[in-house]
Amino acid sequence: MRQLKIAIAGAGIAGLTAARALQTFGFRPIVYEQAASLGEVGAGLTVSPNATHVLNALGMEGVLERLGMRPNRGGVKHWQTGELMVEISRGNEMLEKYGAAYYQIHRADLHRELADLVVTTDPDAIRPGHAFRSVEEHNGALTIHFENGTTASADVLIGADGVRSRVRAALFGEQTPRFTGYVAYRGLVPMANLPDGVVDPTSCLSTGPGRSFTRYLVRGGTLVNFVGLTERDDWREEGWSIRATVEEMLREYEGWYEDVRTIIRSAPPEGLFKWALFDREPLPNWTRGAVTLIGDAAHPMLPFLGQGAAMGIEDGMVIGRAFSAADSIGEALRRYQEARLPRANWVMLESRKTALNYHSGREENFRPGKHVSAESLGLMSYNPAAVPV
Ligand SMILES: Cc1cc2nc3c(=O)[nH]c(=O)nc-3n(C[C@H](O)[C@H](O)[C@H](O)COP(=O)(O)OP(=O)(O)OC[C@H]3O[C@@H](n4cnc5c(N)ncnc54)[C@H](O)[C@@H]3O)c2cc1C
């Protein structure tokens, strides 16, 4: 099994975690990435204890401590008054309760460090400039075709190519995603540009009718990461690099308490982005032959529970363990899917429900003991390095 040629399409968080996990178990996976180079993109991500277990086990504990933020206090505020309706503690309690900490980190920092770890183990492990186009199987061997005209042979292909996965389309056909009516704005504001007291508590969700606004610190507390989730129907485009303007976002947050508007107003114009949120239906199966899916390619989800990256990280560890424990490709992929599919699909559906809850404008949803979150749903007590596979 250790001699298997395992190809991974997509060097995002899920693909790189899978590569690192497979390396840890003695495999030599090759990751094919469409981008010409792995650059700095994205903003903040949540790494909750269920994902921290994985990154710790893969040698990333020091990275999380160095580059991630552990918010001590968090909370939920009222959209109009700014009243703190729910207080949440995310400090040492997380470590005590779950055996792993809760971090908020810039996606680019986590991504870069994971990639460095993978190429330190095998300098040839990541091949940029290789966009997956198609795959064919002949007598148990896979031939992968890339958009640059080259091919690669492999025994297994793991599709980790994100929300618009070509591998998923190759396996199960093109599916038309449904526009959810939600549009997300995201930005990063230097803390130094903000007046004192605006970022208190350091991690905060504010909710109101048809809107929410989440913000937290990244990069040693020097940057405030925010994501504003709104509802509109006059614009719909899916992508991570579509510019938005401060004026349009302020219009969306008309009538909101001043701290939210101050943060929006302080966003550097070149650093404000928007994307429309599309939804895919959960798949009943992720695998065909020796090809399977992980991360957003398998289970893209709305961001309301902050579990998109965590689910991809969980997949990465479990697929590594499945290959380590199995005697054949079929057995490895079966073990992986059985361990992961029910949980990931459930989180997809809970993320949809949470969207309705957060935007309901019903204050009774945001009282102590009533607030729905990844923690209240029990998601954080899962340890992918230890669950049965
Ligand atoms: C550029 C970018 C910025 C993001 N920014 C944020 C953010 O700020 N906050 C947040 O919460 N989430 C962000 N995300 C999403 C978040 O990273 C994912 O939801 C989550 O981490 C799951 O990761 P994934 O590896 O499954 O998918 P992704 O992170 O989307 O990674 C997929 C990878 O596959 C590559 N790829 C796509 N098509 C092909 C192909 N045909 N062949 C080969 N490679 C391919 C992509 O270039 C990418 O590197 C971002 C994703 C991307 C791609």
Coordinates of all heavy atoms in Angstrom, one line a residue, residues 9-15 33-34 107 158-169 238 240 280 293-300:
A9 N -5.9 16.4 -6.4 CA -6.2 17.6 -7.3 C -6.6 18.7 -6.4 O -7.7 18.6 -5.8 CB -7.2 17.3 -8.3
G10 N -5.8 19.7 -6.3 CA -6.1 20.9 -5.4 C -5.3 21.0 -4.2 O -5.3 20.2 -3.3
A11 N -4.5 22.1 -4.1 CA -3.6 22.4 -3.0 C -4.3 23.4 -2.1 O -3.6 24.4 -1.7 CB -2.2 22.8 -3.4
G12 N -5.5 23.2 -1.7 CA -6.2 24.1 -0.7 C -5.9 23.5 0.6 O -5.0 22.7 0.8
I13 N -6.7 24.0 1.6 CA -6.5 23.5 3.0 C -6.7 22.0 3.1 O -6.0 21.2 3.7 CB -7.4 24.3 4.0 CG1 -7.1 25.8 3.9 CG2 -7.2 23.7 5.4 CD1 -5.8 26.3 4.4
A14 N -7.8 21.5 2.4 CA -8.1 20.1 2.5 C -7.1 19.2 1.8 O -6.6 18.2 2.4 CB -9.5 19.8 2.0
G15 N -6.7 19.6 0.6 CA -5.7 18.8 -0.2 C -4.4 18.8 0.5 O -3.7 17.7 0.6
E33 N -2.0 21.4 -8.5 CA -2.8 22.6 -8.2 C -2.9 23.4 -9.5 O -1.9 23.6 -10.2 CB -2.0 23.4 -7.1 CG -2.4 24.9 -6.9 CD -3.9 25.1 -6.6 OE1 -4.5 24.3 -5.8 OE2 -4.5 26.1 -7.1
Q34 N -4.1 24.0 -9.7 CA -4.3 24.8 -10.9 C -3.6 26.1 -10.9 O -3.1 26.5 -12.0 CB -5.8 25.1 -11.1 CG -6.4 26.0 -10.0 CD -7.7 26.6 -10.4 OE1 -8.3 26.2 -11.4 NE2 -8.2 27.5 -9.5
R107 N -6.1 32.6 6.5 CA -6.1 31.5 5.7 C -4.7 31.4 5.0 O -4.1 30.3 4.9 CB -7.1 31.5 4.6 CG -7.1 30.3 3.6 CD -8.1 30.4 2.5 NE -8.1 29.3 1.7 CZ -7.4 29.0 0.6 NH1 -6.5 29.9 0.3 NH2 -7.5 27.9 -0.1
I158 N -7.6 11.8 -5.4 CA -8.4 12.5 -4.4 C -8.8 13.9 -5.0 O -7.9 14.7 -5.2 CB -7.7 12.6 -3.1 CG1 -7.3 11.2 -2.6 CG2 -8.5 13.4 -2.1 CD1 -6.4 11.2 -1.3
G159 N -10.0 14.2 -5.2 CA -10.5 15.5 -5.7 C -10.6 16.4 -4.5 O -11.5 16.3 -3.7
A160 N -9.7 17.4 -4.4 CA -9.7 18.4 -3.3 C -9.8 19.8 -4.0 O -9.1 20.7 -3.5 CB -8.5 18.2 -2.4
D161 N -10.5 19.9 -5.1 CA -10.4 21.1 -5.9 C -11.6 22.0 -5.6 O -12.0 22.8 -6.5 CB -10.3 20.7 -7.4 CG -11.4 19.7 -7.9 OD1 -12.0 19.0 -7.0 OD2 -11.6 19.6 -9.1
G162 N -12.1 22.0 -4.4 CA -12.9 23.1 -3.9 C -14.4 23.1 -4.4 O -14.8 22.2 -5.0
V163 N -15.0 24.3 -4.1 CA -16.5 24.3 -4.3 C -16.9 24.1 -5.8 O -18.0 23.6 -6.0 CB -16.9 25.7 -3.7 CG1 -16.3 26.9 -4.4 CG2 -18.4 25.8 -3.6
R164 N -16.1 24.5 -6.7 CA -16.4 24.3 -8.1 C -15.7 23.1 -8.7 O -15.1 23.2 -9.8 CB -16.1 25.5 -9.0 CG -17.0 26.7 -8.6 CD -16.6 27.8 -9.5 NE -17.2 29.0 -9.2 CZ -16.9 30.2 -9.8 NH1 -16.1 30.2 -10.8 NH2 -17.5 31.3 -9.4
S165 N -15.6 22.0 -8.0 CA -14.8 20.9 -8.3 C -15.0 20.3 -9.7 O -16.1 19.9 -10.0 CB -15.0 19.8 -7.2 OG -14.4 18.6 -7.6
R166 N -13.9 20.2 -10.4 CA -14.0 19.5 -11.7 C -14.0 18.0 -11.5 O -14.5 17.2 -12.3 CB -12.8 19.9 -12.6 CG -12.7 21.4 -13.0 CD -13.9 22.0 -13.5 NE -14.5 21.3 -14.6 CZ -15.8 21.3 -14.9 NH1 -16.7 22.0 -14.2 NH2 -16.3 20.6 -15.9
V167 N -13.3 17.5 -10.5 CA -13.3 16.1 -10.2 C -14.7 15.6 -9.9 O -15.2 14.6 -10.4 CB -12.3 15.7 -9.1 CG1 -12.3 14.2 -8.8 CG2 -10.9 16.2 -9.4
R168 N -15.4 16.4 -9.1 CA -16.8 16.1 -8.7 C -17.6 16.0 -10.0 O -18.4 15.1 -10.2 CB -17.4 17.1 -7.8 CG -18.8 16.9 -7.4 CD -19.2 17.9 -6.3 NE -20.6 17.9 -6.0 CZ -21.2 18.1 -4.8 NH1 -20.4 18.3 -3.8 NH2 -22.5 18.2 -4.7
A169 N -17.4 17.0 -10.9 CA -18.2 16.9 -12.1 C -17.9 15.7 -13.0 O -18.7 15.1 -13.6 CB -17.9 18.2 -12.9
E238 N -19.8 34.0 -7.9 CA -19.2 33.2 -6.9 C -17.7 33.3 -7.1 O -17.2 33.0 -8.2 CB -19.6 31.8 -7.0 CG -19.3 30.9 -5.9 CD -19.8 29.4 -6.1 OE1 -19.9 29.0 -7.3 OE2 -20.1 28.8 -5.2
W240 N -13.5 34.3 -4.9 CA -12.8 34.8 -3.7 C -12.2 36.2 -3.9 O -11.7 36.8 -3.0 CB -11.8 33.8 -3.2 CG -12.4 32.6 -2.8 CD1 -12.3 31.3 -3.4 CD2 -13.1 32.4 -1.6 NE1 -13.0 30.4 -2.7 CE2 -13.5 31.0 -1.5 CE3 -13.5 33.2 -0.5 CZ2 -14.2 30.4 -0.5 CZ3 -14.2 32.6 0.6 CH2 -14.5 31.3 0.6
R280 N -25.0 23.5 -2.8 CA -25.1 22.2 -3.5 C -25.8 21.3 -2.6 O -25.7 21.4 -1.4 CB -23.7 21.7 -3.8 CG -23.1 22.2 -5.1 CD -22.3 23.5 -4.8 NE -21.6 24.0 -6.0 CZ -21.1 25.2 -6.1 NH1 -21.4 26.2 -5.2 NH2 -20.5 25.6 -7.2
L293 N -13.6 12.3 -3.2 CA -13.7 13.7 -3.0 C -13.4 14.0 -1.5 O -13.8 13.3 -0.7 CB -15.0 14.3 -3.4 CG -15.5 14.0 -4.8 CD1 -17.0 14.5 -5.0 CD2 -14.7 14.8 -5.8
I294 N -12.8 15.2 -1.3 CA -12.6 15.6 0.1 C -12.9 17.2 0.1 O -12.9 17.8 -0.9 CB -11.3 15.4 0.7 CG1 -10.1 16.1 0.0 CG2 -10.9 13.9 0.7 CD1 -8.8 16.0 0.7
G295 N -13.1 17.7 1.3 CA -13.2 19.2 1.5 C -14.5 19.7 0.8 O -15.5 19.0 0.6
D296 N -14.3 21.0 0.3 CA -15.5 21.6 -0.3 C -15.9 20.9 -1.6 O -17.1 21.0 -2.0 CB -15.1 23.1 -0.7 CG -15.1 24.0 0.5 OD1 -15.4 23.5 1.6 OD2 -14.8 25.2 0.3
A297 N -15.0 20.1 -2.2 CA -15.4 19.4 -3.4 C -16.5 18.3 -3.0 O -17.4 18.1 -3.8 CB -14.2 18.7 -4.0
A298 N -16.4 17.8 -1.8 CA -17.3 16.8 -1.4 C -18.6 17.4 -0.7 O -19.7 16.9 -0.9 CB -16.7 15.8 -0.4
H299 N -18.3 18.5 0.1 CA -19.4 19.0 0.9 C -19.3 20.5 1.1 O -19.1 21.0 2.2 CB -19.4 18.2 2.3 CG -18.0 18.1 2.9 ND1 -17.3 19.2 3.3 CD2 -17.2 17.0 3.0 CE1 -16.1 18.7 3.7 NE2 -16.1 17.4 3.6
P300 N -19.5 21.3 0.1 CA -19.4 22.7 0.2 C -20.5 23.2 1.1 O -21.6 22.7 1.0 CB -19.6 23.3 -1.2 CG -20.3 22.2 -1.9 CD -19.9 20.9 -1.3

